[in-house]
Amino acid sequence: MTDRPIVLFDGVCNLCNGFVNFLLDHDSEGRLRFAALQSAAGQELLARHGLRDIDSVVLVEGGRAYTKSAAAIRIAEHLGWPYRVARVARLLPTDVRDWLYDRIAANRYDWFGKREGCRVPDEDVSDRFLS
C-alpha cells in the first residue's frame, strides 16, 4: 500500500473526522496517509494485522499496528512540536491510558454525532486517502 504511516479511522464518526481534519492541517510534511476503517484498504490493513472488531483509530506503521492510546500518542509524535509532548502520556500505565481512550470512544457518537456515510476527501487532499 504505502511505506508511510497510515491512520485508520471510523469514517462515519464526527470526532474521528475532526481528528483527521486536524491531522491534515498540522501534518506539514504530508507524511500521514488515511483510510476509513470501512473502506477496502482499511479492512485489508486490519486483516493483515489480525485486528477484529476495531471501530476507532489505528496507526499502521513499519509493519506494525498501534491501537487506542498508543496510536494516538504515536500519531502526535509525527506532528512534531508541540504535539510531540504527548509522548509524556507513556509515563501512565497503558491500562489507565486505554481506559480513558475507551471511555471517549464508547461515547463519541453521543457526544459528537455520526455521519450517514463515510467521509469523501476534498480534491486537494484526496491523494493522501486510500480507498
Side-chain angles (χ1 to χ4, degrees), residues 87-123:
R87 68 173 41 156
V88 301
R90 287 193 181 118
L91 297 173
L92 295 171
T94 302
D95 291 345
V96 172
R97 293 188 335 240
D98 284 348
W99 178 87
L100 178 59
Y101 184 94
D102 288 342
R103 298 298 68 76
I104 295 168
N107 292 292
R108 69 186 187 274
Y109 294 146
D110 291 336
W111 295 343
F112 299 96
K114 185 175 178 180
R115 297 169 178 237
E116 291 295 317
C118 283
R119 172 194 186 118
V120 176
D122 295 335
E123 207 172 285

Side-chain angles (χ1 to χ4, degrees), residues 17-87:
N17 278 280
F19 181 58
V20 169
N21 288 338
F22 177 86
L23 295 175
L24 287 167
D25 290 343
H26 293 87
D27 177 18
S28 59
E29 295 179 18
R31 295 190 64 227
L32 297 172
R33 298 285 184 241
F34 303 92
L37 291 166
Q38 298 87 342
S39 70
Q43 289 296 299
E44 179 185 331
L45 284 165
L46 291 174
R48 185 183 305 168
H49 292 280
L51 298 172
R52 291 173 179 68
D53 300 323
I54 297 288
D55 66 353
S56 57
V57 72
V58 175
L59 177 69
V60 176
E61 177 183 30
R64 184 170 177 199
Y66 299 86
T67 61
K68 298 187 179 189
S69 64
I73 293 167
R74 186 73 189 119
I75 291 166
E77 289 177 322
H78 280 289
L79 299 180
W81 179 257
Y83 310 103
R84 180 170 281 168
V85 299
R87 68 173 41 156

